Structures are given as structure tokens and as C-alpha cells.
Amino acid sequence: MSDLLAFETDSFPGLELLSTNARNCELTKADALEEFKRLRIEISRLQRVLYAENQQSLLVVFQAMDAGGKDGTIRKVFQGVNPQGVHVASFKRPTQLELEHDFLWRIHPHTPAKGMISVFNRSHYEDVLVPLVESLTTREVIEARYEHIRSFERMLMDHGTKVVKLFLNISNAEQKRRLNERLTNPDKRWKFEPQDLEKRTDWKQYMSAFAVMFEETSTPEAPWHIIPSDDKWYRNLLVARIIFNTLESMSPEYPKPKYDLTNIVIE
Ligand code: ATP
Ligand code: MG
């Protein structure tokens, strides 16, 4: 069990707290894979309608500790979706230019246009995690950022953007296993970053920073979902379910034809 889940569940409004692994769940892996494939087809169908309708949009935010599986989840869940309708933005350590602006400056250009899905691989939430743990700024600045984030997301929602926030929750032991894999598997070595080890030593502080962040930024319209992510197949299924349910609740519809088509004959 990760440290994060040691916190009381009812102190985070709007959160779905689940165990970090799938060992206790009834679902078999084979059933999960089957359901996942069905959901993926449904997601790509709904995305086509969303695109055609051109009225609403979806923003999916992924946060996780290093090796938490953001890349793999995005690759698996959005496989098969028309790339024209999806924009993936990965947010790395801010550049000097980005640091000279407000923290949302680099984020806003990547929010989805009508009809589009934007996927954030890390996000504006890094700015209430890293600077807090590394003491790069004051508490007051971080407090103000929670408020800015709430307002920012409210503005996006007012514009017709549904915001889905997903935290891929891996245990400390699973992170160790995955980082070791990056050291030993030749195909994964390129992913290894010494800074991941520094962050790993701050695991507890990160878990606390996440917990406060969930509390401050979970809203009824855009709650944080904590995804048990030690088992990839289980993680993928939960993420696909949430994205499918969200798209379905948006009820996108194909628009009516712009012209009267009844008497048109193609010679
Ligand atoms: P992977 O899981 O494949 O390693 P990644 O998302 O960790 O992918 P990296 O290039 O390894 O990508 O790391 C990005 C780094 O940038 C992370 O350590 C992250 O915490 C950091 N970062 C992103 N945004 C900010 C921010 N606003 N302030 C400080 N650090 C940030
Ligand atoms: Mg990394």
C-alpha cells in the first residue's frame, strides 16, 4: 500500500480512493482486457462524434510519480483514436522563458479547442508539487496557485471543456522495480534520469504534497481520481472506464447537415 493511501479517505472530497493493486478485486485479467478493448472502440467512436459536433471538448490530466506509467497509459488508452482529434502535451521542467511568465502561460495554449481532446502528460499541477517539495517558492505562492488552478479549470469548464484529472498511484516498491528495469533493460535505459532517484528520496514529501493538492483542487465537477496503478492492465481499464463515462456523459451528437440534402443527386 502506498503512503498516500495511509491518509484518511474522507479528508479528500470528491476522491475515489482504491487499493493500489488489483489483487483483491474480483475481476480477472482476461475479463479486464476484453472490457478494455471494447471501451477503446467506444472511446474512438465517441471521439468521432465529439469532433463532428465541434461544441465541447475534453481535457485529460495525468499526474504520477516517475515511472508511474503516464506514457504507457496514454499510448494504450488512446490507441485507435483519430490522431487529428487528439493533442498530447508533455510538460517538462520549465525553461528560463517559461519561468519568466506566470505558471499557466505555457499550459493555456494546449487546452483543447472545441471538438478536441487534449491529454496532459504532467501539467500545471507540477507547479504545486515540485516547488513545494524542493522549497523553490513560498507557501503563499503555492496557496495562491491552488486558487488560480481552480479558477483556470472553472473557466475552461465554462467554455465547454470537461476536465478529467487522473493520478496514477504506484507504490514505492513498484517504483523501485520499474526504475531498476530502466537500469537493466537495454530498451528502457534511455528513460533513466538520475533526478528520478532524488525525487524518490523525497517520496514522503511528494505524497504529502499530492494529498494537499487533491484536497485543494478536487471539485465536484472535476474531482481527482486516484488510479491504482501497480498492475498495468487494471490501471488501463479504470482509466478507459473514466474516459468512456465522461465522453458518454457529454452526449455529443453529429450536427444536422448545413444544407437541405433531400434533392441532391450526385451525377
Ligand atoms: P518518464 O516517466 O518517461 O520519465 P517524465 O514525465 O518523467 O517521463 P522527464 O523528461 O523524465 O519526463 O521529466 C520531466 C521532469 O520535469 C519531471 O521531473 C517533472 O517533475 C519536471 N517538471 C515538469 N513540470 C515542472 C514544473 N512546472 N516545475 C518543476 N519541474 C517540473
Ligand atoms: Mg522521468
Side-chain angles (χ1 to χ4, degrees):
M1 191 153 95
S2 86
D3 293 327
L4 182 66
L5 296 177
F7 289 89
E8 286 163 47
T9 53
D10 61 1
S11 51
F12 315 127
L15 282 193
E16 288 183 13
L17 283 174
L18 302 156
S19 71
T20 48
N21 61 60
R23 273 182 284 282
N24 297 330
C25 79
E26 300 283 319
L27 198 73
T28 66
K29 186 171 174 181
D31 287 346
L33 289 175
E34 190 124 318
E35 184 186 339
F36 177 68
K37 280 190 197 145
R38 272 203 314 275
L39 286 170
R40 207 159 56 178
I41 293 168
E42 284 300 301
I43 290 170
S44 83
R45 180 184 65 77
L46 283 162
Q47 181 272 338
R48 272 203 301 279
V49 192
L50 187 81
Y51 186 83
E53 181 193 61
N54 198 34
Q55 291 300 319
Q56 318 171 69
S57 58
L58 174 65
L59 170 61
V60 184
V61 174
F62 283 99
Q63 285 292 155
M65 291 296 281
D66 290 299
K70 298 179 275 61
D71 290 352
T73 309
I74 294 168
R75 194 173 61 242
K76 289 282 184 185
V77 172
F78 292 96
Q79 190 181 316
V81 172
N82 183 352
Q84 279 196 103
V86 181
H87 168 63
V88 182
S90 297
F91 296 98
K92 307 287 182 188
R93 231 167 233 285
T95 63
Q96 191 53 39
L97 179 66
E98 286 167 347
L99 285 172
E100 285 169 18
H101 290 81
D102 68 84
F103 76 105
L104 293 171
W105 180 76
R106 68 173 185 157
I107 305 290
H108 211 164
H110 298 283
T111 57
K114 287 187 192 299
M116 293 288 294
I117 298 176
S118 283
V119 180
F120 284 2
N121 183 343
R122 301 191 188 269
S123 65
H124 41 300
Y125 285 100
E126 289 291 317
D127 294 277
V128 291
L129 293 167
V130 183
L132 183 65
V133 172
E134 294 183 12
S135 304
L136 301 177
T137 187
T138 62
R139 284 247 159 212
E140 287 71 31
V141 168
I142 301 289
E143 292 290 334
R145 283 182 184 174
Y146 296 132
E147 178 53 32
H148 294 317
I149 288 175
R150 289 192 293 264
S151 310
F152 178 60
E153 292 183 0
R154 211 176 315 121
M155 181 190 64
L156 297 179
M157 290 186 269
D158 286 346
H159 184 68
T161 301
K162 190 88 189 142
V163 181
V164 172
K165 303 185 297 215
L166 303 167
F167 173 66
L168 305 183
N169 192 27
I170 55 165
S171 62
N172 186 281
E174 178 64 15
Q175 189 196 46
K176 183 175 181 180
R177 207 190 58 72
R178 292 187 190 181
L179 291 177
N180 260 322
E181 170 97 6
R182 287 185 181 181
L183 280 179
T184 51
N185 181 338
D187 294 349
K188 295 199 174 172
R189 281 191 154 167
W190 65 275
K191 277 196 160 203
F192 189 83
E193 299 265 350
Q195 65 175 32
D196 294 354
L197 299 185
E198 286 165 33
K199 289 204 167 156
R200 185 172 161 74
T201 60
D202 291 333
W203 181 273
K204 276 215 160 71
Q205 289 90 315
Y206 271 101
M207 290 302 119
S208 307
F210 274 116
V212 179
M213 178 188 105
F214 295 146
E215 211 167 356
E216 291 282 350
T217 60
S218 261
T219 61
E221 305 75 32
W224 272 100
H225 298 272
I226 299 187
I227 309 294
S229 297
D230 282 355
D231 294 298
K232 294 177 182 173
W233 58 271
Y234 190 59
R235 169 201 76 194
N236 292 344
L237 177 64
L238 292 189
V239 170
R241 276 184 185 164
I242 291 169
I243 292 174
F244 166 73
N245 287 336
T246 305
L247 282 169
E248 198 181 42
S249 73
M250 292 165 76
S251 310
E253 287 180 12
Y254 281 112
K256 299 223 169 351
K258 291 186 200 113
Y259 312 98
D260 178 4
L261 306 180
T262 41
N263 294 322
I264 295 184
V265 177
I266 315 284
E267 300 291 348

